[in-house]
Amino acid sequence: MPHPIQVPERELGKTPTIATIASLCLALLSIASAAIFIKFSEQEISPYATAFNRFWITTVILGLWSGVSAVRRKQENSETPKSSPYTGAIIGQLFLVGFFLAADLILWAWSLTQTSVANATLLANLTPVFSCLGGWLFCQRRFDKQFLLGMAIAIAAVFVIGCNDCQLASGKFLGDIAALIAAVCFSVYLSVLERLQNQLGATKIVFWSSAIATLVSLPIVLIDGGQVFPTSWQGWLIVISLAGVCQILGQGMLVHSLNQLSSEFVALFLLLEPVLAGVGAWALFSEQLGLLNLVAFAIALVGVYVSLSSPSALRDEAIQPSLVTLQVETDPKNREQEVVKAVLNSCIAKKEISVPETALVGVKRS
């Protein structure tokens, strides 16, 4: 008679799906376009006001969408009563996501007014370093050599672009510190987002994080004292596009990609953002884009690919063993063989190979 026994089993999907990679690429393209929208928006309002409008417009759009969806489900009587997912821990995580997202954008915008663009870009691109350091210190994560090599290659490639224009001056110290703190804020944002997406859908996360970011950025806009809202229909079109493309689509796809990918790899992948923004600026504003930029972009892609091929690119949940119930026979010999076979298969699932029956012939009860 078979008896159930629980043994660890590894999921065999060791590589992210095409849909996950496509979501991350779409998130990168959407987020990278923010620099273009902000450049147009600065003709009427400040970067702080641009971020504020980006957040509140996103909140309104997603709030209306959620309301319409709730009414439709109620009319169709398809909504079953269920407990609220908003526990104290989730509310706290939502607050952290909204706060650090707003802090990242505001500190980045302020650093650009206090230091050179090259300095701010170089320091803000240290996000993967802080993500890995935080994961190692606070989450006991370990990263294999292949992932760290790919990260080093990608960071070095991006740094090559800005090093020629990098300036060292005492008067720019505060701006440099602000850019550095912005990198820390974004790494914390991704880390919390990785955990939060297990509990809530992308729409709810983007809605609540945008609502909280609106409240955080409002005092900054009022203190700045500049124009808060656009003054022309072109300006409104720009901030609405910024909310729709960069916040709703970009952040939504970012949340979806974290279902399989680690926050450290996502931070590394987003290193390609300034390069894509540079390509967009070259196409729209005729800004200079030399051969060095193109070569650095290619090298950064190589680094990202090297990291993507390593196990550390995946989320811990995707490579950690889980318990599965196995039916084994009561015969001692068969039971021992089945259990050992299941355990060995789970332990070597990293290579996705099976243990042959002949390898278990010599197994005996201890």
Side-chain angles (χ1 to χ4, degrees), residues 241-291:
S241 300
L242 183 64
V245 175
C246 303
Q247 190 68 11
I248 297 177
L249 180 62
Q251 298 299 323
M253 291 295 99
L254 195 67
V255 173
H256 179 72
S257 67
L258 286 169
N259 182 53
Q260 280 191 309
L261 299 171
S262 65
S263 59
E264 292 81 9
F265 174 76
V266 171
L268 174 62
F269 192 85
L270 292 180
L271 277 179
L272 302 177
E273 177 189 344
V275 183
L276 292 183
V279 173
W282 168 75
L284 296 176
F285 306 115
S286 300
E287 293 187 4
Q288 185 177 2
L289 185 64
L291 179 62

mmCIF file of all heavy atoms in Angstrom, residues 241-291:
data_model
loop_
_atom_site.group_PDB
_atom_site.id
_atom_site.type_symbol
_atom_site.label_atom_id
_atom_site.label_comp_id
_atom_site.label_asym_id
_atom_site.label_seq_id
_atom_site.Cartn_x
_atom_site.Cartn_y
_atom_site.Cartn_z
ATOM 1 N N SER A 241 1.478 61.277 -21.162
ATOM 2 C CA SER A 241 2.254 60.220 -21.812
ATOM 3 C C SER A 241 3.306 59.668 -20.859
ATOM 4 O O SER A 241 3.576 58.456 -20.843
ATOM 5 C CB SER A 241 2.924 60.760 -23.077
ATOM 6 O OG SER A 241 1.972 61.234 -23.999
ATOM 7 N N LEU A 242 3.908 60.548 -20.064
ATOM 8 C CA LEU A 242 4.898 60.116 -19.081
ATOM 9 C C LEU A 242 4.269 59.158 -18.078
ATOM 10 O O LEU A 242 4.871 58.130 -17.712
ATOM 11 C CB LEU A 242 5.479 61.333 -18.364
ATOM 12 C CG LEU A 242 6.589 61.085 -17.344
ATOM 13 C CD1 LEU A 242 7.825 60.504 -18.018
ATOM 14 C CD2 LEU A 242 6.944 62.378 -16.625
ATOM 15 N N ALA A 243 3.059 59.478 -17.628
ATOM 16 C CA ALA A 243 2.366 58.604 -16.680
ATOM 17 C C ALA A 243 1.974 57.281 -17.326
ATOM 18 O O ALA A 243 2.171 56.205 -16.734
ATOM 19 C CB ALA A 243 1.128 59.311 -16.134
ATOM 20 N N GLY A 244 1.440 57.350 -18.544
ATOM 21 C CA GLY A 244 0.975 56.132 -19.205
ATOM 22 C C GLY A 244 2.098 55.212 -19.638
ATOM 23 O O GLY A 244 2.040 53.990 -19.411
ATOM 24 N N VAL A 245 3.134 55.781 -20.249
ATOM 25 C CA VAL A 245 4.211 54.959 -20.809
ATOM 26 C C VAL A 245 5.214 54.556 -19.735
ATOM 27 O O VAL A 245 5.536 53.370 -19.578
ATOM 28 C CB VAL A 245 4.926 55.721 -21.954
ATOM 29 C CG1 VAL A 245 6.131 54.920 -22.452
ATOM 30 C CG2 VAL A 245 3.960 55.987 -23.090
ATOM 31 N N CYS A 246 5.723 55.532 -18.984
ATOM 32 C CA CYS A 246 6.823 55.259 -18.051
ATOM 33 C C CYS A 246 6.349 54.666 -16.736
ATOM 34 O O CYS A 246 7.006 53.767 -16.190
ATOM 35 C CB CYS A 246 7.612 56.542 -17.783
ATOM 36 S SG CYS A 246 8.261 57.297 -19.284
ATOM 37 N N GLN A 247 5.220 55.159 -16.225
ATOM 38 C CA GLN A 247 4.785 54.705 -14.908
ATOM 39 C C GLN A 247 3.896 53.469 -15.001
ATOM 40 O O GLN A 247 4.194 52.440 -14.393
ATOM 41 C CB GLN A 247 4.052 55.836 -14.183
ATOM 42 C CG GLN A 247 3.770 55.564 -12.726
ATOM 43 C CD GLN A 247 5.034 55.522 -11.877
ATOM 44 O OE1 GLN A 247 6.105 55.901 -12.335
ATOM 45 N NE2 GLN A 247 4.904 55.054 -10.647
ATOM 46 N N ILE A 248 2.807 53.561 -15.768
ATOM 47 C CA ILE A 248 1.871 52.434 -15.826
ATOM 48 C C ILE A 248 2.473 51.256 -16.589
ATOM 49 O O ILE A 248 2.537 50.134 -16.083
ATOM 50 C CB ILE A 248 0.541 52.878 -16.458
ATOM 51 C CG1 ILE A 248 -0.130 53.940 -15.588
ATOM 52 C CG2 ILE A 248 -0.389 51.677 -16.640
ATOM 53 C CD1 ILE A 248 -1.415 54.491 -16.160
ATOM 54 N N LEU A 249 2.927 51.503 -17.822
ATOM 55 C CA LEU A 249 3.473 50.416 -18.631
ATOM 56 C C LEU A 249 4.848 49.986 -18.124
ATOM 57 O O LEU A 249 5.097 48.793 -17.899
ATOM 58 C CB LEU A 249 3.556 50.850 -20.089
ATOM 59 C CG LEU A 249 4.125 49.808 -21.066
ATOM 60 C CD1 LEU A 249 3.239 48.567 -21.085
ATOM 61 C CD2 LEU A 249 4.226 50.403 -22.475
ATOM 62 N N GLY A 250 5.746 50.957 -17.929
ATOM 63 C CA GLY A 250 7.110 50.625 -17.533
ATOM 64 C C GLY A 250 7.194 49.950 -16.178
ATOM 65 O O GLY A 250 7.776 48.862 -16.042
ATOM 66 N N GLN A 251 6.600 50.574 -15.149
ATOM 67 C CA GLN A 251 6.657 49.986 -13.809
ATOM 68 C C GLN A 251 5.828 48.712 -13.722
ATOM 69 O O GLN A 251 6.181 47.778 -12.986
ATOM 70 C CB GLN A 251 6.183 51.000 -12.766
ATOM 71 C CG GLN A 251 7.035 52.253 -12.681
ATOM 72 C CD GLN A 251 8.466 51.961 -12.286
ATOM 73 O OE1 GLN A 251 8.722 51.090 -11.469
ATOM 74 N NE2 GLN A 251 9.399 52.704 -12.862
ATOM 75 N N GLY A 252 4.722 48.653 -14.470
ATOM 76 C CA GLY A 252 3.914 47.434 -14.472
ATOM 77 C C GLY A 252 4.681 46.248 -15.032
ATOM 78 O O GLY A 252 4.647 45.148 -14.472
ATOM 79 N N MET A 253 5.384 46.448 -16.149
ATOM 80 C CA MET A 253 6.191 45.384 -16.729
ATOM 81 C C MET A 253 7.380 45.034 -15.835
ATOM 82 O O MET A 253 7.824 43.889 -15.779
ATOM 83 C CB MET A 253 6.686 45.793 -18.116
ATOM 84 C CG MET A 253 5.601 45.893 -19.180
ATOM 85 S SD MET A 253 4.810 44.299 -19.543
ATOM 86 C CE MET A 253 3.292 44.438 -18.554
ATOM 87 N N LEU A 254 7.879 46.032 -15.118
ATOM 88 C CA LEU A 254 8.979 45.780 -14.177
ATOM 89 C C LEU A 254 8.516 44.848 -13.061
ATOM 90 O O LEU A 254 9.233 43.909 -12.682
ATOM 91 C CB LEU A 254 9.467 47.105 -13.597
ATOM 92 C CG LEU A 254 10.820 47.092 -12.883
ATOM 93 C CD1 LEU A 254 11.934 46.810 -13.864
ATOM 94 C CD2 LEU A 254 11.063 48.418 -12.191
ATOM 95 N N VAL A 255 7.323 45.094 -12.537
ATOM 96 C CA VAL A 255 6.763 44.221 -11.499
ATOM 97 C C VAL A 255 6.586 42.807 -12.036
ATOM 98 O O VAL A 255 6.919 41.821 -11.368
ATOM 99 C CB VAL A 255 5.417 44.780 -10.995
ATOM 100 C CG1 VAL A 255 4.752 43.799 -10.046
ATOM 101 C CG2 VAL A 255 5.625 46.120 -10.304
ATOM 102 N N HIS A 256 6.090 42.703 -13.260
ATOM 103 C CA HIS A 256 5.859 41.375 -13.850
ATOM 104 C C HIS A 256 7.164 40.611 -14.022
ATOM 105 O O HIS A 256 7.216 39.392 -13.788
ATOM 106 C CB HIS A 256 5.162 41.528 -15.201
ATOM 107 C CG HIS A 256 4.905 40.226 -15.895
ATOM 108 N ND1 HIS A 256 3.947 39.333 -15.471
ATOM 109 C CD2 HIS A 256 5.502 39.650 -16.978
ATOM 110 C CE1 HIS A 256 3.948 38.271 -16.260
ATOM 111 N NE2 HIS A 256 4.886 38.442 -17.180
ATOM 112 N N SER A 257 8.234 41.281 -14.432
ATOM 113 C CA SER A 257 9.513 40.600 -14.648
ATOM 114 C C SER A 257 10.105 40.072 -13.346
ATOM 115 O O SER A 257 10.836 39.077 -13.350
ATOM 116 C CB SER A 257 10.512 41.543 -15.324
ATOM 117 O OG SER A 257 10.885 42.608 -14.455
ATOM 118 N N LEU A 258 9.780 40.719 -12.214
ATOM 119 C CA LEU A 258 10.301 40.283 -10.924
ATOM 120 C C LEU A 258 9.658 38.985 -10.440
ATOM 121 O O LEU A 258 10.046 38.454 -9.406
ATOM 122 C CB LEU A 258 10.099 41.378 -9.871
ATOM 123 C CG LEU A 258 11.036 42.583 -10.005
ATOM 124 C CD1 LEU A 258 10.572 43.716 -9.105
ATOM 125 C CD2 LEU A 258 12.465 42.190 -9.671
ATOM 126 N N ASN A 259 8.698 38.477 -11.195
ATOM 127 C CA ASN A 259 8.099 37.193 -10.849
ATOM 128 C C ASN A 259 9.108 36.059 -10.983
ATOM 129 O O ASN A 259 9.047 35.060 -10.273
ATOM 130 C CB ASN A 259 6.884 36.928 -11.742
ATOM 131 C CG ASN A 259 6.191 35.629 -11.396
ATOM 132 O OD1 ASN A 259 5.845 35.396 -10.255
ATOM 133 N ND2 ASN A 259 6.001 34.779 -12.386
ATOM 134 N N GLN A 260 10.064 36.225 -11.919
ATOM 135 C CA GLN A 260 11.071 35.193 -12.136
ATOM 136 C C GLN A 260 12.495 35.682 -11.906
ATOM 137 O O GLN A 260 13.358 34.919 -11.477
ATOM 138 C CB GLN A 260 10.975 34.639 -13.570
ATOM 139 C CG GLN A 260 9.872 33.626 -13.785
ATOM 140 C CD GLN A 260 10.020 32.928 -15.128
ATOM 141 O OE1 GLN A 260 10.164 33.566 -16.159
ATOM 142 N NE2 GLN A 260 9.997 31.615 -15.109
ATOM 143 N N LEU A 261 12.734 36.956 -12.201
ATOM 144 C CA LEU A 261 14.094 37.492 -12.142
ATOM 145 C C LEU A 261 14.361 38.138 -10.787
ATOM 146 O O LEU A 261 13.455 38.694 -10.163
ATOM 147 C CB LEU A 261 14.312 38.510 -13.258
ATOM 148 C CG LEU A 261 14.165 37.968 -14.684
ATOM 149 C CD1 LEU A 261 14.185 39.109 -15.692
ATOM 150 C CD2 LEU A 261 15.266 36.964 -14.997
ATOM 151 N N SER A 262 15.604 38.089 -10.360
ATOM 152 C CA SER A 262 15.982 38.705 -9.089
ATOM 153 C C SER A 262 16.065 40.218 -9.251
ATOM 154 O O SER A 262 16.320 40.738 -10.352
ATOM 155 C CB SER A 262 17.329 38.159 -8.618
ATOM 156 O OG SER A 262 18.374 38.541 -9.507
ATOM 157 N N SER A 263 15.861 40.938 -8.156
ATOM 158 C CA SER A 263 15.936 42.399 -8.203
ATOM 159 C C SER A 263 17.348 42.858 -8.556
ATOM 160 O O SER A 263 17.534 43.916 -9.167
ATOM 161 C CB SER A 263 15.517 42.991 -6.852
ATOM 162 O OG SER A 263 16.352 42.512 -5.804
ATOM 163 N N GLU A 264 18.359 42.067 -8.191
ATOM 164 C CA GLU A 264 19.740 42.420 -8.517
ATOM 165 C C GLU A 264 19.978 42.384 -10.023
ATOM 166 O O GLU A 264 20.621 43.277 -10.580
ATOM 167 C CB GLU A 264 20.723 41.464 -7.819
ATOM 168 C CG GLU A 264 20.762 41.604 -6.317
ATOM 169 C CD GLU A 264 19.633 40.869 -5.617
ATOM 170 O OE1 GLU A 264 18.909 40.098 -6.291
ATOM 171 O OE2 GLU A 264 19.450 41.057 -4.399
ATOM 172 N N PHE A 265 19.420 41.365 -10.703
ATOM 173 C CA PHE A 265 19.597 41.305 -12.151
ATOM 174 C C PHE A 265 18.793 42.405 -12.840
ATOM 175 O O PHE A 265 19.260 42.996 -13.824
ATOM 176 C CB PHE A 265 19.175 39.946 -12.701
ATOM 177 C CG PHE A 265 19.216 39.891 -14.208
ATOM 178 C CD1 PHE A 265 20.425 39.783 -14.866
ATOM 179 C CD2 PHE A 265 18.048 39.998 -14.955
ATOM 180 C CE1 PHE A 265 20.474 39.758 -16.253
ATOM 181 C CE2 PHE A 265 18.093 39.977 -16.336
ATOM 182 C CZ PHE A 265 19.310 39.845 -16.985
ATOM 183 N N VAL A 266 17.592 42.683 -12.353
ATOM 184 C CA VAL A 266 16.781 43.755 -12.940
ATOM 185 C C VAL A 266 17.517 45.089 -12.833
ATOM 186 O O VAL A 266 17.534 45.888 -13.778
ATOM 187 C CB VAL A 266 15.405 43.827 -12.261
ATOM 188 C CG1 VAL A 266 14.642 45.067 -12.697
ATOM 189 C CG2 VAL A 266 14.590 42.574 -12.588
ATOM 190 N N ALA A 267 18.133 45.342 -11.668
ATOM 191 C CA ALA A 267 18.913 46.569 -11.500
ATOM 192 C C ALA A 267 20.062 46.619 -12.502
ATOM 193 O O ALA A 267 20.377 47.674 -13.066
ATOM 194 C CB ALA A 267 19.448 46.664 -10.073
ATOM 195 N N LEU A 268 20.700 45.470 -12.731
ATOM 196 C CA LEU A 268 21.792 45.403 -13.703
ATOM 197 C C LEU A 268 21.284 45.641 -15.120
ATOM 198 O O LEU A 268 21.895 46.381 -15.901
ATOM 199 C CB LEU A 268 22.476 44.035 -13.610
ATOM 200 C CG LEU A 268 23.560 43.728 -14.638
ATOM 201 C CD1 LEU A 268 24.707 44.719 -14.484
ATOM 202 C CD2 LEU A 268 24.059 42.301 -14.480
ATOM 203 N N PHE A 269 20.152 45.047 -15.460
ATOM 204 C CA PHE A 269 19.583 45.201 -16.799
ATOM 205 C C PHE A 269 19.231 46.657 -17.080
ATOM 206 O O PHE A 269 19.384 47.143 -18.205
ATOM 207 C CB PHE A 269 18.347 44.313 -16.937
ATOM 208 C CG PHE A 269 17.848 44.179 -18.350
ATOM 209 C CD1 PHE A 269 18.395 43.225 -19.191
ATOM 210 C CD2 PHE A 269 16.838 44.999 -18.837
ATOM 211 C CE1 PHE A 269 17.942 43.096 -20.501
ATOM 212 C CE2 PHE A 269 16.387 44.880 -20.139
ATOM 213 C CZ PHE A 269 16.934 43.912 -20.973
ATOM 214 N N LEU A 270 18.766 47.361 -16.055
ATOM 215 C CA LEU A 270 18.383 48.761 -16.234
ATOM 216 C C LEU A 270 19.588 49.682 -16.422
ATOM 217 O O LEU A 270 19.409 50.881 -16.652
ATOM 218 C CB LEU A 270 17.536 49.228 -15.046
ATOM 219 C CG LEU A 270 16.147 48.588 -14.931
ATOM 220 C CD1 LEU A 270 15.406 49.123 -13.713
ATOM 221 C CD2 LEU A 270 15.322 48.820 -16.190
ATOM 222 N N LEU A 271 20.814 49.121 -16.331
ATOM 223 C CA LEU A 271 21.990 49.916 -16.680
ATOM 224 C C LEU A 271 21.959 50.349 -18.141
ATOM 225 O O LEU A 271 22.613 51.322 -18.523
ATOM 226 C CB LEU A 271 23.269 49.101 -16.431
ATOM 227 C CG LEU A 271 23.828 49.056 -15.014
ATOM 228 C CD1 LEU A 271 25.076 48.190 -14.982
ATOM 229 C CD2 LEU A 271 24.142 50.449 -14.516
ATOM 230 N N LEU A 272 21.205 49.618 -18.952
ATOM 231 C CA LEU A 272 21.101 49.957 -20.360
ATOM 232 C C LEU A 272 20.219 51.181 -20.591
ATOM 233 O O LEU A 272 20.178 51.710 -21.706
ATOM 234 C CB LEU A 272 20.532 48.768 -21.147
ATOM 235 C CG LEU A 272 21.325 47.453 -21.043
ATOM 236 C CD1 LEU A 272 20.614 46.359 -21.814
ATOM 237 C CD2 LEU A 272 22.738 47.644 -21.547
ATOM 238 N N GLU A 273 19.523 51.633 -19.547
ATOM 239 C CA GLU A 273 18.605 52.770 -19.688
ATOM 240 C C GLU A 273 19.294 54.044 -20.172
ATOM 241 O O GLU A 273 18.818 54.665 -21.145
ATOM 242 C CB GLU A 273 17.898 53.031 -18.358
ATOM 243 C CG GLU A 273 16.979 54.245 -18.384
ATOM 244 C CD GLU A 273 16.470 54.607 -17.004
ATOM 245 O OE1 GLU A 273 16.570 53.757 -16.097
ATOM 246 O OE2 GLU A 273 15.993 55.734 -16.839
ATOM 247 N N PRO A 274 20.409 54.507 -19.562
ATOM 248 C CA PRO A 274 21.016 55.742 -20.048
ATOM 249 C C PRO A 274 21.530 55.640 -21.476
ATOM 250 O O PRO A 274 21.544 56.633 -22.206
ATOM 251 C CB PRO A 274 22.161 55.988 -19.052
ATOM 252 C CG PRO A 274 22.417 54.676 -18.412
ATOM 253 C CD PRO A 274 21.110 53.985 -18.376
ATOM 254 N N VAL A 275 21.940 54.438 -21.885
ATOM 255 C CA VAL A 275 22.406 54.264 -23.253
ATOM 256 C C VAL A 275 21.244 54.423 -24.230
ATOM 257 O O VAL A 275 21.352 55.103 -25.251
ATOM 258 C CB VAL A 275 23.077 52.893 -23.423
ATOM 259 C CG1 VAL A 275 23.628 52.731 -24.835
ATOM 260 C CG2 VAL A 275 24.198 52.716 -22.408
ATOM 261 N N LEU A 276 20.110 53.780 -23.921
ATOM 262 C CA LEU A 276 18.934 53.927 -24.779
ATOM 263 C C LEU A 276 18.429 55.366 -24.776
ATOM 264 O O LEU A 276 17.980 55.880 -25.810
ATOM 265 C CB LEU A 276 17.831 52.977 -24.320
ATOM 266 C CG LEU A 276 18.097 51.485 -24.517
ATOM 267 C CD1 LEU A 276 16.882 50.677 -24.078
ATOM 268 C CD2 LEU A 276 18.422 51.187 -25.971
ATOM 269 N N ALA A 277 18.499 56.015 -23.608
ATOM 270 C CA ALA A 277 18.092 57.424 -23.548
ATOM 271 C C ALA A 277 19.007 58.276 -24.426
ATOM 272 O O ALA A 277 18.552 59.228 -25.076
ATOM 273 C CB ALA A 277 18.138 57.913 -22.104
ATOM 274 N N GLY A 278 20.306 57.919 -24.448
ATOM 275 C CA GLY A 278 21.229 58.644 -25.309
ATOM 276 C C GLY A 278 20.913 58.458 -26.783
ATOM 277 O O GLY A 278 21.009 59.402 -27.579
ATOM 278 N N VAL A 279 20.510 57.249 -27.157
ATOM 279 C CA VAL A 279 20.108 56.993 -28.541
ATOM 280 C C VAL A 279 18.864 57.809 -28.896
ATOM 281 O O VAL A 279 18.771 58.391 -29.985
ATOM 282 C CB VAL A 279 19.845 55.482 -28.757
ATOM 283 C CG1 VAL A 279 19.267 55.228 -30.135
ATOM 284 C CG2 VAL A 279 21.132 54.694 -28.562
ATOM 285 N N GLY A 280 17.907 57.876 -27.963
ATOM 286 C CA GLY A 280 16.709 58.673 -28.203
ATOM 287 C C GLY A 280 17.020 60.152 -28.322
ATOM 288 O O GLY A 280 16.455 60.856 -29.164
ATOM 289 N N ALA A 281 17.933 60.637 -27.459
ATOM 290 C CA ALA A 281 18.321 62.048 -27.536
ATOM 291 C C ALA A 281 19.040 62.343 -28.847
ATOM 292 O O ALA A 281 18.889 63.429 -29.428
ATOM 293 C CB ALA A 281 19.218 62.397 -26.349
ATOM 294 N N TRP A 282 19.833 61.388 -29.323
ATOM 295 C CA TRP A 282 20.507 61.561 -30.617
ATOM 296 C C TRP A 282 19.494 61.646 -31.752
ATOM 297 O O TRP A 282 19.636 62.453 -32.683
ATOM 298 C CB TRP A 282 21.454 60.384 -30.837
ATOM 299 C CG TRP A 282 21.979 60.289 -32.238
ATOM 300 C CD1 TRP A 282 22.936 61.061 -32.830
ATOM 301 C CD2 TRP A 282 21.552 59.358 -33.243
ATOM 302 N NE1 TRP A 282 23.135 60.676 -34.133
ATOM 303 C CE2 TRP A 282 22.293 59.613 -34.410
ATOM 304 C CE3 TRP A 282 20.621 58.317 -33.260
ATOM 305 C CZ2 TRP A 282 22.129 58.882 -35.587
ATOM 306 C CZ3 TRP A 282 20.455 57.586 -34.420
ATOM 307 C CH2 TRP A 282 21.207 57.871 -35.564
ATOM 308 N N ALA A 283 18.435 60.831 -31.680
ATOM 309 C CA ALA A 283 17.442 60.815 -32.750
ATOM 310 C C ALA A 283 16.533 62.037 -32.716
ATOM 311 O O ALA A 283 16.179 62.584 -33.772
ATOM 312 C CB ALA A 283 16.602 59.533 -32.659
ATOM 313 N N LEU A 284 16.166 62.504 -31.502
ATOM 314 C CA LEU A 284 15.194 63.589 -31.388
ATOM 315 C C LEU A 284 15.824 64.965 -31.237
ATOM 316 O O LEU A 284 15.280 65.959 -31.745
ATOM 317 C CB LEU A 284 14.253 63.323 -30.205
ATOM 318 C CG LEU A 284 13.369 62.080 -30.313
ATOM 319 C CD1 LEU A 284 12.572 61.888 -29.037
ATOM 320 C CD2 LEU A 284 12.423 62.202 -31.510
ATOM 321 N N PHE A 285 16.963 65.033 -30.535
ATOM 322 C CA PHE A 285 17.562 66.333 -30.232
ATOM 323 C C PHE A 285 18.925 66.543 -30.889
ATOM 324 O O PHE A 285 19.599 67.519 -30.600
ATOM 325 C CB PHE A 285 17.707 66.494 -28.707
ATOM 326 C CG PHE A 285 16.432 66.286 -27.954
ATOM 327 C CD1 PHE A 285 16.286 65.229 -27.077
ATOM 328 C CD2 PHE A 285 15.353 67.142 -28.140
ATOM 329 C CE1 PHE A 285 15.105 65.024 -26.381
ATOM 330 C CE2 PHE A 285 14.166 66.951 -27.452
ATOM 331 C CZ PHE A 285 14.037 65.890 -26.575
ATOM 332 N N SER A 286 19.322 65.591 -31.744
ATOM 333 C CA SER A 286 20.599 65.682 -32.461
ATOM 334 C C SER A 286 21.790 65.782 -31.512
ATOM 335 O O SER A 286 22.804 66.416 -31.843
ATOM 336 C CB SER A 286 20.597 66.889 -33.419
ATOM 337 O OG SER A 286 19.556 66.767 -34.364
ATOM 338 N N GLU A 287 21.665 65.185 -30.322
ATOM 339 C CA GLU A 287 22.791 65.165 -29.404
ATOM 340 C C GLU A 287 23.847 64.180 -29.896
ATOM 341 O O GLU A 287 23.545 63.185 -30.537
ATOM 342 C CB GLU A 287 22.321 64.784 -27.994
ATOM 343 C CG GLU A 287 21.422 65.823 -27.359
ATOM 344 C CD GLU A 287 21.096 65.508 -25.907
ATOM 345 O OE1 GLU A 287 21.660 64.508 -25.395
ATOM 346 O OE2 GLU A 287 20.317 66.242 -25.298
ATOM 347 N N GLN A 288 25.101 64.481 -29.591
ATOM 348 C CA GLN A 288 26.210 63.693 -30.101
ATOM 349 C C GLN A 288 26.200 62.284 -29.535
ATOM 350 O O GLN A 288 26.017 62.066 -28.346
ATOM 351 C CB GLN A 288 27.539 64.377 -29.750
ATOM 352 C CG GLN A 288 28.753 63.682 -30.359
ATOM 353 C CD GLN A 288 30.040 64.404 -30.052
ATOM 354 O OE1 GLN A 288 30.025 65.416 -29.350
ATOM 355 N NE2 GLN A 288 31.153 63.898 -30.560
ATOM 356 N N LEU A 289 26.398 61.305 -30.397
ATOM 357 C CA LEU A 289 26.470 59.904 -30.005
ATOM 358 C C LEU A 289 27.585 59.268 -30.815
ATOM 359 O O LEU A 289 27.409 58.906 -31.982
ATOM 360 C CB LEU A 289 25.140 59.183 -30.256
ATOM 361 C CG LEU A 289 25.039 57.733 -29.767
ATOM 362 C CD1 LEU A 289 25.152 57.669 -28.265
ATOM 363 C CD2 LEU A 289 23.741 57.099 -30.236
ATOM 364 N N GLY A 290 28.779 59.158 -30.213
ATOM 365 C CA GLY A 290 29.953 58.705 -30.931
ATOM 366 C C GLY A 290 30.101 57.200 -30.971
ATOM 367 O O GLY A 290 29.278 56.437 -30.445
ATOM 368 N N LEU A 291 31.197 56.778 -31.594
ATOM 369 C CA LEU A 291 31.489 55.360 -31.710
ATOM 370 C C LEU A 291 31.706 54.721 -30.343
ATOM 371 O O LEU A 291 31.329 53.568 -30.112
ATOM 372 C CB LEU A 291 32.732 55.163 -32.590
ATOM 373 C CG LEU A 291 33.197 53.719 -32.805
ATOM 374 C CD1 LEU A 291 32.112 52.918 -33.507
ATOM 375 C CD2 LEU A 291 34.494 53.700 -33.600
#
